[in-house]
């Protein structure tokens, strides 16, 4: 018999707990599910469950994130060559699953139950809207008049996401009320909506000169769903889950940006982050041509390994730090509000 290492044993137990929890939530629903019963299903102790997950809600988020990330992209996705058809394809990919996942019916009640989940959820949706807007802008570039501020499609993307999330909630609360493909038509019509959306550049934080080696770990880019090693030139923005909207400050400069999402409670909130990103990005990859996918890379830095490589050893949901990398070395960094924009825009470096 092969003796498993401690890490291998923990990983195996975690997988057993997730499988048992998925069965328990599917059978009883989140509210009636019991940790003791999940432990029995997994043939583990109650303590073994809590050693992997701090509570039932954290376990629930992890189950949903795991399921979302395992959803396979169709072999031949019908991607839209223009904004109207791409938004229709996005909505079609989204609504085809409506009403078929009873596990998710308790998600929103758990999200809105406490401020500790509401705030990061709002910021995660802001990040989703930015990613969707970047894909939309790639298909239908917005050119502002001479002297006008930079134009964008974030507000339009927010309306698309409001439509899709609303449809999801109604499919759960009132099955049969909504014709799913009316949602597809509505999202197609939103392609022509004019909102006059523009982006005001922020004040940048103070930038400090640096000269440290850059040896990042291999991580998973949630936008493309594939492993990456962000070792090329560019900007790494480390943001707590309550500060995610600030990544736009770096993205709008045109820099090559990698976002490391961090949190002070990774066992509970990191799965929520993975879930929200997976819901959008799985549909986005089916609907938009590859060349329109956002260039920004998004990493859920659950262990803090990428943040640590960037010189941010301690993180919280309010973290806001950015570094610029050139030729394998960290050459500049900034902290606080506006850090991403300051480092990305090449602001004057303080020695």
């Amino acid at each position: 018999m092969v003796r498993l290492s401690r890490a291998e044993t923990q990983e195996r137990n975690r997988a057993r707990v997730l499988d048992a929890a998925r069965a328990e939530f599917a059978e009883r629903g989140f509210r009636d599910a019991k940790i003791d019963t999940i432990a029995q299903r997994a043939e583990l102790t109650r303590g073994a469950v809590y050693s992997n997950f701090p509570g039932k809600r954290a376990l629930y988020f992890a189950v949903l994130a795991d399921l979302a990330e395992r959803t396979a992209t169709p072999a031949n996705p019908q991607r839209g060559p223009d904004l109207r058809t791409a938004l229709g394809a996005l909505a079609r990919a989204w609504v085809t699953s409506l009403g078929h996942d009873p596990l998710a019916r308790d998600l929103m009640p758990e999200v809105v139950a406490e401020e500790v989940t509401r705030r990061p959820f709002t910021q995660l949706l802001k990040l989703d809207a930015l990613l969707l807007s970047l894909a939309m802008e790639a298909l239908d570039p917005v050119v502002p008049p001479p002297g006008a501020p930079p134009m964008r499609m974030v507000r339009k993307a927010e309306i698309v996401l409001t439509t899709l999330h609303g449809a999801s909630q109604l499919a759960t609360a009132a099955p049969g009320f909504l014709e799913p493909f009316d949602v597809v038509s509505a999202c197609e019509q939103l392609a022509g909506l004019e909102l006059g959306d523009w982006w005001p550049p922020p004040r940048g934080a103070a930038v400090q000169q640096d000269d440290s080696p850059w040896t990042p770990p291999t991580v998973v880019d949630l936008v493309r769903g594939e492993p990456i090693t962000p070792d090329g030139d560019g900007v790494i923005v480390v943001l707590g889950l309550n500060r995610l909207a600030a990544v736009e400050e770096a993205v709008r400069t045109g820099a090559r940006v990698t976002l490391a999402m961090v949190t002070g409670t990774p066992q509970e909130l990191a799965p929520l982050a993975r879930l929200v990103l997976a819901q959008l990005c799985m549909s986005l990859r089916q609907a938009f041509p590859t060349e329109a996918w956002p260039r920004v890379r998004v990493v859920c830095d659950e262990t803090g390994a990428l943040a640590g490589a960037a010189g941010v050893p301690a993180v919280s949901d309010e973290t806001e730090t950015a570094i610029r990398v050139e030729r394998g070395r960290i050459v500049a960094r900034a902290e606080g509000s506006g850090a991403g924009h300051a480092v990305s825009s090449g602001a004057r470096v303080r020695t």
Side-chain angles (χ1 to χ4, degrees):
M1 180 180 293
V2 178
R3 187 178 182 87
L4 298 177
S5 68
R6 182 175 180 179
E8 290 171 332
T9 298
Q10 187 173 17
E11 185 59 33
R12 185 187 65 175
N13 288 347
R14 179 183 174 85
R16 288 167 63 181
V17 171
L18 284 173
D19 287 341
R22 182 163 53 248
E24 177 73 1
F25 292 141
E27 182 178 318
R28 299 177 181 274
F30 173 78
R31 297 190 182 282
D32 293 331
K34 306 295 183 186
I35 291 293
D36 286 338
T37 308
I38 292 172
Q40 291 172 5
R41 285 178 181 267
E43 299 182 340
L44 295 168
T45 65
R46 179 185 176 91
V49 175
Y50 280 116
S51 69
N52 287 279
F53 303 94
K56 190 169 70 168
R57 184 170 64 187
L59 181 50
Y60 180 56
F61 289 163
V63 166
L64 293 179
D66 185 61
L67 287 173
E69 290 172 340
R70 288 186 183 184
T71 302
T73 301
N76 297 299
Q78 301 300 308
R79 294 173 176 145
D82 55 60
L83 183 56
R84 179 188 173 90
T85 53
L87 285 180
L90 179 83
R92 190 173 296 108
W94 189 289
V95 302
T96 50
S97 63
L98 293 184
H100 299 297
D101 190 1
L103 279 174
R105 64 179 178 266
D106 293 310
L107 175 60
M108 289 310 298
E110 286 306 305
V111 167
V112 303
E114 296 184 44
E115 184 73 4
V116 70
T117 45
R118 282 198 303 270
R119 285 189 66 197
F121 184 72
T122 300
Q123 289 292 302
L124 286 163
L125 290 183
K126 289 285 189 183
L127 175 58
D128 272 2
L130 172 63
L131 295 174
L132 178 55
S133 74
L134 293 173
M136 292 163 61
E137 291 162 23
L139 285 185
D140 187 13
V142 183
V143 180
M151 302 296 290
R152 62 177 192 168
M153 292 190 182
V154 173
R155 289 169 56 198
K156 185 184 294 188
E158 290 173 347
I159 294 174
V160 172
L161 291 176
T162 298
T163 303
L164 295 176
H165 279 281
S168 296
Q169 292 306 303
L170 279 177
T172 299
F177 169 75
L178 186 66
E179 169 54 51
F181 289 96
D182 286 346
V183 179
V184 175
S185 297
C187 287
E188 289 175 339
Q189 295 299 319
L190 288 174
L193 183 66
E194 296 291 342
L195 292 175
D197 192 8
W198 59 282
W199 178 73
R203 291 184 178 181
V207 180
Q208 295 183 333
Q209 185 177 20
D210 203 325
D211 185 22
S212 306
W214 174 239
T215 53
T218 297
V219 289
V220 175
D221 173 20
L222 299 181
V223 174
R224 288 164 179 75
E226 61 187 22
I228 60 166
T229 303
D231 51 3
D233 290 0
V235 172
I236 312 297
V237 184
V238 183
L239 294 175
L241 293 188
N242 291 341
R243 300 292 303 152
L244 295 180
V247 72
E248 184 172 8
E249 298 174 0
V251 170
R252 293 297 176 186
T253 66
R256 187 184 187 189
V257 177
T258 300
L259 166 63
M261 300 188 297
V262 295
T263 172
T265 52
Q267 287 183 303
E268 181 166 47
L269 294 184
L272 179 62
R274 289 169 35 224
L275 170 62
V276 174
L277 267 293
Q279 285 180 314
L280 172 72
C281 291
M282 294 296 288
S283 296
L284 190 150
R285 293 197 293 268
Q286 293 182 46
F288 282 75
T290 307
E291 60 271 19
W293 294 357
R295 292 180 64 242
V296 60
R297 300 177 291 189
V298 180
V299 175
C300 186
D301 194 20
E302 296 184 52
T303 66
L306 187 56
V312 190
V315 298
S316 74
D317 293 285
E318 305 298 333
T319 295
E320 187 169 349
T321 300
I323 62 169
R324 187 165 72 243
V325 175
E326 295 177 2
R327 296 183 296 278
R329 299 192 71 80
I330 301 172
V331 298
R333 69 173 57 246
E335 296 185 9
S337 181
H341 183 265
V343 165
S344 303
S345 61
R348 184 172 61 86
V349 178
R350 292 183 178 178
T351 57

